C-alpha cells in the first residue's frame, strides 16, 4: 500500500515538473512594438482587405497589456519554457472568447513573436528603447 501512495506522489511530481512554468525576468518586462501586416479575410461571401496596424505589447512581471489599433487586451499571463532554450511562451486568455493570445519571447534577440489569430499573420515586435530626455 505504501508503494501505491509513493507511486502516485512521484507521478504527480513528475507531471507538474514537466509543465515547467517559468518567471519572466525583470529585464524582459518592457514595451515591444511592431506591425501586423496587411492581410485578407473572408467575411460571408466577400473578401475584405485589412490594412496594416501597429501593435504594442507591454510585458510586466505578472501581467500583459496588448493594444492593436483601438483594441486593448490585458490580463494575467502564464509563462512556459519553449522547445528552444532562448524562448519563453506567454499565454494570455482573452475575456469573452475561447481564443488565447500566444506570444513567444526570444530572450537572446529581445523580441516578441505574436502568433496571429486566424486570419491574422504572425507579428514580430522589437523592444522599445527608452529615449533620453
Amino acid at each position: 500500500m505504501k508503494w501505491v501512495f509513493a507511486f502516485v506522489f512521484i507521478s504527480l511530481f513528475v507531471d507538474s515538473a514537466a509543465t515547467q512554468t517559468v518567471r519572466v525576468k525583470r529585464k524582459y518586462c518592457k514595451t515591444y512594438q511592431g506591425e501586423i501586416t496587411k492581410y485578407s479575410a473572408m467575411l460571408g461571401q466577400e473578401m475584405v482587405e485589412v490594412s496594416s496596424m501597429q501593435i504594442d505589447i507591454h510585458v510586466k512581471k505578472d501581467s500583459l497589456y496588448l493594444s492593436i489599433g483601438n483594441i486593448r487586451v490585458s490580463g494575467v499571463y502564464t509563462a512556459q519554457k519553449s522547445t528552444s532554450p532562448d524562448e519563453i511562451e506567454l499565454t494570455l486568455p482573452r475575456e469573452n472568447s475561447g481564443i488565447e493570445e500566444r506570444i513567444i519571447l526570444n530572450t537572446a534577440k529581445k523580441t516578441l513573436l505574436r502568433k496571429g489569430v486566424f486570419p491574422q499573420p504572425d507579428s514580430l515586435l522589437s523592444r522599445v528603447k527608452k529615449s533620453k530626455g
Side-chain angles (χ1 to χ4, degrees):
M1 192 65 159
K2 290 180 194 178
W3 293 105
V4 172
F5 287 120
F7 179 73
V8 170
F9 178 74
I10 291 172
S11 298
L12 291 173
F13 178 74
V14 169
D15 185 48
S16 66
T19 58
Q20 287 192 345
T21 56
V22 295
R23 288 190 75 78
V24 176
K25 292 183 181 179
R26 191 175 73 186
K27 66 181 177 181
Y28 304 118
C29 293
K30 305 287 181 187
T31 300
Y32 299 83
Q33 286 183 343
E35 183 178 69
I36 299 175
T37 58
K38 180 176 150 178
Y39 62 96
S40 300
M42 188 68 128
L43 233 59
Q45 300 291 328
E46 190 177 333
M47 186 66 84
V48 177
E49 289 287 322
V50 180
S51 60
S52 61
M53 299 184 110
Q54 182 171 338
I55 178 171
D56 297 329
I57 298 177
H58 186 74
V59 179
K60 291 203 170 194
K61 187 176 181 179
D62 59 354
S63 57
L64 190 132
Y65 300 90
L66 175 120
S67 40
I68 304 170
N70 60 0
I71 299 171
R72 311 254 185 274
V73 177
S74 63
V76 177
Y77 63 82
T78 57
Q80 294 183 336
K81 285 195 175 198
S82 185
T83 54
S84 170
D86 294 336
E87 293 180 348
I88 299 172
E89 187 173 327
L90 308 175
T91 307
L92 174 71
R94 294 176 72 167
E95 286 187 26
N96 304 325
S97 171
I99 301 170
E100 294 180 329
E101 289 286 344
R102 287 187 44 234
I103 299 162
I104 298 172
L105 170 64
N106 188 315
T107 56
K109 296 178 183 176
K110 297 179 180 138
T111 59
L112 290 180
L113 177 69
R114 177 187 177 255
K115 301 302 269 180
V117 180
F118 183 78
Q120 291 178 345
D122 295 348
S123 303
L124 185 65
L125 293 87
S126 302
R127 190 163 83 181
V128 177
K129 303 246 190 243
K130 286 186 179 177
S131 62
K132 294 183 180 180

